[in-house]
Amino acid sequence: MSIFSFFRSAPRPSAVQAKERLQIVMAHERAGRTGPDYLPMLQQELLAVIAKYIDIDQNKVEVKLDRGGDCSTLELNIELPAREAAKALKEAAKAAVGKANGAAAHDDEVSDSVKMAAGGGALTNGGVKKRR
Amino acid sequence: MGKIIVMTSGKGGVGKTTSSAAFATGLALRGFKTVVIDFDVGLRNLDLVMGCERRVVFDFINVINGEAKLNQALIKDKRIDNLYILPTSQTRDKDALTKEGVEKVLNELSKEFDYILCDSPAGIERGALMSLYFADHAIIVTNPEVSSVRDSDRILGVLNSKSRRAERGEEPVTQQLLLTRYDPERVERGEMLKVDDVLEILAIPLLGVIPESQAVLRASNVGMPVILDEHSNAGQAYIDAVGRFLGEDLEHRFVSVPKKGLFSRLLRRTA
Ligand SMILES: Nc1ncnc2c1ncn2[C@@H]1O[C@H](COP(=O)(O)OP(=O)(O)OP(=O)(O)O)[C@@H](O)[C@H]1O
Ligand SMILES: [Mg+2]
């Protein structure tokens, strides 16, 4: 043990992190247990809306979820066939998300993909923004 | 009417079979007529842990299928009166566990026995569901580790929604936590979840804390439930847990590192 380690602040014990991670993930799981798992359906319906406007490859669709303590995000990444199509998709996505839960879609200028972020407890509470 | 207890966990390898063997033996030692049933169809192991593997002729599935009488399949423990084992099949799979078949066997057993202990397989599939479906009481076996705690919570959800008591809207299955493989030294170093952390997360009453112990492997090597090793800390912890199950108010032991003298502390530092 070097003498310097006396002065360094102790790292957070891993058991503390374990407890925090469990509390967060289990709060979500308990909330989701009562209702049906609507994530697959939500994804399908969103895609159906988008497909009305653009020809998309179902394999190039990525749905990401990040459950936080008081805020969750749902991210939908869709790779588009051409740059031209991106614009149209953004409009469509905005409309779809706007209808679903009133959250605004984020524009993503840099790539041919569109990212939508639904804030708050959109996933735990059927699209109603919720903070604990 | 016998009471049906399920030893369950969701996650595999956390100590359900070890605990089932210990608990059944402990209840029998207290004078209750007890049978322990292996629900892990296809992966028979309770017989080895109980030390009766060479005496298995018929099994649980044979009885369900009407190929053998219940009394032919029950194995009486050689060490302890009042203790019986109902082993499972090694060749069949979990589909052999029909709800009607399991119910028939449990009904018959509960006429004769005080306690019927069901050793659940891992997972939340058919075998695990059948082992908990008829339960009056559940002992949730959990290790102080993230996956085990999360899976225990899943199983609690299943007990509250898919058990017979839940389906019929009866009094819910009572639940108690058995925290096993607990290592107070690692807890003290901040490397392992504390008893209180797990209790806070799962929010069910604590039945006992079984320390990580070499006695468990030694006992299973020779086919002796570890509760019979009265000198080991794991054996004593199981004895206490059985006492608490029967309503005794006992302090939890083996949850903290024993205080050492200055001399041995200095020795440990340099070791
Ligand atoms: N308190 C303990 N201290 C040390 N080792 C333990 C302890 N409890 C259980 N073990 C060991 O952990 C392993 C798994 O135990 P066991 O078979 O009882 O778990 P299980 O939950 O029944 O597993 P499965 O899900 O496969 O049925 C065994 O090798 C056993 O010896
Ligand atoms: Mg087992």
Side-chain angles (χ1 to χ4, degrees), chain B residues 4-17:
Chain B
I4 302 175
I5 309 169
V6 61
M7 194 71 76
T8 184
S9 68
K11 187 166 159 61
V14 295
K16 293 178 292 295
T17 301

Side-chain angles (χ1 to χ4, degrees), chain B residues 54-116:
Chain B
R54 288 192 289 183
R55 296 164 63 206
V56 178
V57 184
F58 295 113
D59 58 52
F60 189 21
I61 304 303
N62 290 139
V63 180
I64 287 178
N65 292 341
E67 295 150 3
K69 292 265 175 275
L70 183 55
N71 282 330
Q72 296 176 306
L74 283 174
I75 300 176
K76 187 179 177 337
D77 191 88
K78 282 199 166 150
R79 295 157 295 216
I80 292 137
D81 278 345
N82 291 328
L83 180 57
Y84 291 79
I85 299 109
L86 184 54
T88 195
S89 165
Q90 250 186 331
T91 51
R92 305 294 299 270
D93 62 36
K94 299 198 165 51
D95 292 338
L97 291 171
T98 61
K99 202 176 263 184
E100 297 69 31
V102 173
E103 182 172 24
K104 211 182 75 193
V105 174
L106 291 181
N107 280 344
E108 210 172 322
L109 288 171
S110 68
K111 283 183 212 143
E112 236 191 286
F113 287 87
D114 298 312
Y115 288 109
I116 299 151

Side-chain angles (χ1 to χ4, degrees), chain A residues 2-131:
Chain A
S2 93
I3 54 163
F4 293 111
S5 54
F6 277 115
F7 302 106
R8 238 182 269 140
S9 66
R12 235 152 45 96
S14 61
V16 172
Q17 298 180 46
K19 184 182 179 188
E20 287 171 5
R21 291 175 57 222
L22 274 171
Q23 281 173 324
I24 290 170
V25 73
M26 281 167 50
H28 285 282
E29 285 171 355
R30 282 172 182 157
R33 203 177 280 158
T34 43
D37 185 5
Y38 57 80
L39 203 54
M41 253 183 33
L42 174 71
Q43 178 184 342
Q44 261 178 24
E45 284 179 29
L46 282 173
L47 287 178
V49 173
I50 293 161
K52 272 210 306 209
Y53 300 90
I54 309 155
D55 189 20
I56 47 171
D57 180 352
Q58 298 279 339
N59 293 322
K60 303 248 168 91
V61 177
E62 191 187 16
V63 181
K64 271 196 216 156
L65 176 61
D66 189 6
R67 297 187 164 102
D70 36 43
C71 180
S72 304
T73 53
L74 173 68
E75 211 180 287
L76 191 57
N77 277 298
I78 304 165
E79 201 177 302
L80 298 179
R83 181 125 186 112
E84 292 298 78
K87 258 191 197 152
L89 179 62
K90 277 177 198 166
E91 302 309 329
K94 261 186 202 168
V97 174
K99 248 184 247 164
N101 54 25
H106 278 297
D107 279 358
D108 187 344
E109 299 293 339
V110 281
S111 73
D112 284 358
S113 72
V114 170
K115 204 187 242 180
M116 294 187 283
L123 290 168
T124 56
N125 214 2
V128 181
K129 195 158 183 164
K130 180 185 75 176
R131 282 185 189 274

Side-chain angles (χ1 to χ4, degrees), chain B residues 16-17 40 119-120:
Chain B
K16 293 178 292 295
T17 301
D40 205 345
D119 178 19
S120 171

Side-chain angles (χ1 to χ4, degrees), chain A residues 1 11-27 29-31 33 67, chain B residues 145-147 149-150 153-158 189-194 196-197 200-203:
Chain A
M1 191 159 78
R12 235 152 45 96
S14 61
V16 172
Q17 298 180 46
K19 184 182 179 188
E20 287 171 5
R21 291 175 57 222
L22 274 171
Q23 281 173 324
I24 290 170
V25 73
M26 281 167 50
E29 285 171 355
R30 282 172 182 157
R33 203 177 280 158
R67 297 187 164 102
Chain B
E145 177 264 324
V146 286
S147 349
V149 174
R150 179 200 221 172
D153 195 61
R154 285 277 285 141
I155 277 290
L156 289 171
V158 172
R189 290 202 296 269
E191 292 174 7
M192 186 181 265
L193 289 164
K194 289 197 275 279
D196 290 343
D197 293 342
E200 187 186 329
I201 293 166
L202 292 178

